[in-house]
Amino acid sequence: MKEDIKEFRKTRNFLICIDSDGCVMNTMDVKHMRCFGPCLVYEWDLGEYREEIIRLWRKVNLLSVSRGVNRFQGLAQVLKNIHENYTEVEGLEGYLRWAESAQELSDKSLEEAFEKTENICMKKALDWSRLVNQSMAMVSDTKKPPFEGTEDALRLAREQADIVILTAANRQEINKEWEVFELAQYTDLLMSQESGRKEECLKRLLEEGYEKDHVLMVGDAPADLAAAQAAGVLFYPILAYQERESWENFSEALDHFIKEEYAGTYQEERIRDFQENLHIETK
């Protein structure tokens, strides 16, 4: 599986980009409740608020419109709430500016920003992220399996389209998970948090020569839908807590996609189901 887009070449007329956590891999609950939340409590010494903070982390990162956002964006939202409702977070404003404006949201980018500013919140966020990586590496692979039906769907998709993993997660962790469960064989490229924001990754992939209506983003989070819309490509949702059913229905969606009948009513119905499932209010 390639990890550098410079090595990627278009081989088919269609491209399918697929998110990983909560979409292909059943990892959202275990990673957020065992790793992200507890590491936040530890790094900012929030033991007296432990239960409240972990519930807050779950609400922001699993059960809201911000489900699936990059870890540093999710951290920014939670730290802002902590600062307003629990205790002062030193250096928060500088970190929030970085999380909102950085082209690349990764450990490397944050480390470079900290070296320039010596912002204490950036330093804590970097230490937190590294602790999260260590914590996730200790979680047994049996606790992070793919959802039922994903391999069959990937095999079917691979016959029709180029396949790119497009995730806001850490590259090393995602690579390991896809290799362990032998799913990497169905993919052509991994684009992770180190590759940049999803919207920009999609636009970069379009430069390989795909028509916009020949590109399908598959994801479980509003950020996936937003990235697809910003890039002008199509979107297929994996519904939270209905993942198996979503993958079972993927073959029908793939048929519409390949026949160029996906845009319009069919996609609108899928997006409506997605928004209703996450209780997202639409205007």
Side-chain angles (χ1 to χ4, degrees):
M1 179 168 55
K2 297 179 177 65
E3 297 182 12
D4 188 342
I5 194 169
K6 294 178 182 178
E7 302 175 2
F8 175 76
R9 295 293 180 269
K10 175 178 178 285
T11 64
R12 295 174 174 82
N13 289 327
F14 295 90
L15 171 68
I16 299 177
C17 298
I18 306 176
D19 181 45
S20 186
D21 286 344
C23 182
V24 170
M25 298 296 181
N26 187 5
T27 55
M28 291 290 274
D29 284 335
V30 66
K31 286 185 177 181
H32 286 278
M33 301 307 288
R34 295 192 184 188
C35 304
F36 286 102
C39 288
L40 166 63
V41 170
Y42 174 82
E43 187 59 42
W44 271 270
D45 193 20
L46 297 168
E48 62 182 302
Y49 310 113
R50 178 182 174 83
E51 291 187 8
E52 297 97 314
I53 298 305
I54 291 180
R55 281 199 299 268
L56 173 61
W57 182 272
R58 183 173 187 266
K59 178 180 178 181
V60 169
N61 289 279
L62 295 180
L63 302 174
S64 76
V65 69
S66 54
R67 173 185 170 90
V69 298
N70 174 278
R71 67 172 66 181
F72 296 110
Q73 293 174 318
L75 178 65
Q77 292 189 47
V78 173
L79 287 179
K80 186 176 179 181
N81 187 294
I82 291 171
H83 184 77
E84 293 172 351
N85 297 295
Y86 294 93
T87 186
E88 179 184 358
V89 177
E90 186 180 357
L92 178 61
E93 289 189 9
Y95 175 74
L96 293 179
R97 285 195 297 271
W98 173 82
E100 183 177 342
S101 62
Q103 189 67 27
E104 176 185 317
L105 294 169
S106 66
D107 287 3
K108 179 182 177 182
S109 174
L110 181 54
E111 183 175 19
E112 291 172 352
F114 167 69
E115 289 174 351
K116 292 178 182 178
T117 64
E118 296 187 352
N119 176 286
I120 185 61
C121 191
M122 289 183 181
K123 180 63 168 62
K124 283 185 171 291
L126 182 60
D127 290 343
W128 163 81
S129 181
R130 289 169 172 168
L131 185 61
V132 166
N133 292 341
Q134 295 170 12
S135 178
M136 290 195 297
M138 295 175 66
V139 177
S140 170
D141 291 327
T142 62
K143 301 292 185 181
K144 302 180 288 185
F147 289 109
E148 185 178 345
T150 53
E151 183 168 8
D152 289 341
L154 287 168
R155 185 184 299 111
L156 187 63
R158 189 69 181 83
E159 295 173 357
Q160 304 281 356
D162 294 329
I163 308 295
V164 172
I165 304 171
L166 184 52
T167 173
N170 174 271
R171 175 180 295 159
Q172 183 177 1
E173 184 70 13
I174 297 301
N175 200 334
K176 176 189 174 186
E177 291 167 0
W178 283 66
E179 291 289 351
V180 164
F181 291 101
E182 300 183 349
L183 298 181
Q185 62 181 308
Y186 305 111
T187 69
D188 299 289
L189 176 69
L190 166 59
M191 300 188 79
S192 58
Q193 65 178 218
E194 292 85 356
S195 305
R197 298 173 186 263
K198 287 184 178 180
E199 174 188 343
E200 298 306 319
C201 288
L202 286 168
K203 291 179 178 178
R204 174 63 185 85
L205 287 164
L206 286 170
E207 293 176 3
E208 295 298 314
Y210 301 100
E211 299 294 329
K212 289 185 177 181
D213 61 354
H214 285 189
V215 178
L216 180 68
M217 177 71 211
V218 180
D220 67 301
D224 298 317
L225 171 59
Q229 292 176 331
V233 304
L234 304 172
F235 177 71
Y236 178 76
I238 301 300
L239 304 185
Y241 305 107
Q242 298 180 48
E243 294 87 359
R244 179 177 58 80
E245 294 85 351
S246 298
W247 283 111
E248 287 177 351
N249 294 331
F250 178 74
S251 59
E252 176 187 276
L254 180 64
D255 187 57
H256 279 77
F257 176 54
I258 298 301
K259 291 180 178 178
E260 301 184 29
E261 299 172 351
Y262 194 91
T265 301
Y266 188 82
Q267 178 176 236
E268 290 167 3
E269 290 175 351
R270 304 288 76 72
I271 292 175
R272 184 164 58 250
D273 292 342
F274 173 68
Q275 292 170 329
E276 290 177 354
N277 186 58
L278 287 180
H279 307 290
I280 299 172
E281 294 184 4
T282 57
K283 296 180 180 179

